[in-house]
Amino acid sequence: MESPLNCTSANFEKVALSKFRSLTPYLPNNIRISREPWGRFTVLCIDFQDCPQYFPPSPEQNQNLIQAMKQLGLSNSIIFRIGNKILGWKRV
């Protein structure tokens, strides 16, 4: 039986990304959201591969993404991509 206080970094990551999704309800469930190391930094990656029709986010959605990232302390940069192709990078 798993402890209710399972505090591994993998579990923390799941909880943080789940909370990010709850703060950005306009993003469809099939958009892939992850954090990736880039050199000495970690960036939030939003992959539109399974739903490219949702790219690019509106300016209001971009502002909401940034607010959610700051609130959760996920990263200082966000990458928008479709698969391996980077479509945009925003530093906050």
Side-chain angles (χ1 to χ4, degrees):
M1 178 177 208
E2 190 172 325
S3 166
L5 297 176
N6 191 350
C7 297
T8 66
S9 60
N11 285 339
F12 174 76
E13 190 82 9
K14 281 184 194 178
V15 170
L17 293 178
S18 176
K19 181 67 175 167
F20 180 79
R21 282 189 178 273
S22 73
L23 294 172
T24 56
Y26 51 86
L27 292 176
N29 289 334
N30 56 343
I31 283 182
R32 297 178 195 159
I33 301 174
S34 62
R35 290 189 333 142
E36 295 179 5
W38 281 64
R40 297 178 302 161
F41 302 99
T42 301
V43 298
L44 184 70
C45 298
I46 300 181
D47 189 342
F48 292 85
Q49 182 170 337
D50 294 335
C51 45
Q53 69 274 18
Y54 288 99
F55 184 82
S58 71
E60 296 82 19
Q61 290 171 331
N62 274 335
Q63 191 59 34
N64 182 254
L65 291 171
I66 291 167
Q67 287 174 346
M69 283 172 46
K70 285 182 178 180
Q71 180 179 341
L72 298 171
L74 292 175
S75 73
N76 291 325
S77 297
I78 187 168
I79 293 176
F80 300 106
R81 61 171 44 160
I82 293 181
N84 291 329
K85 183 178 179 183
I86 294 176
L87 303 172
W89 178 294
K90 188 174 266 313
R91 183 160 169 76
V92 289

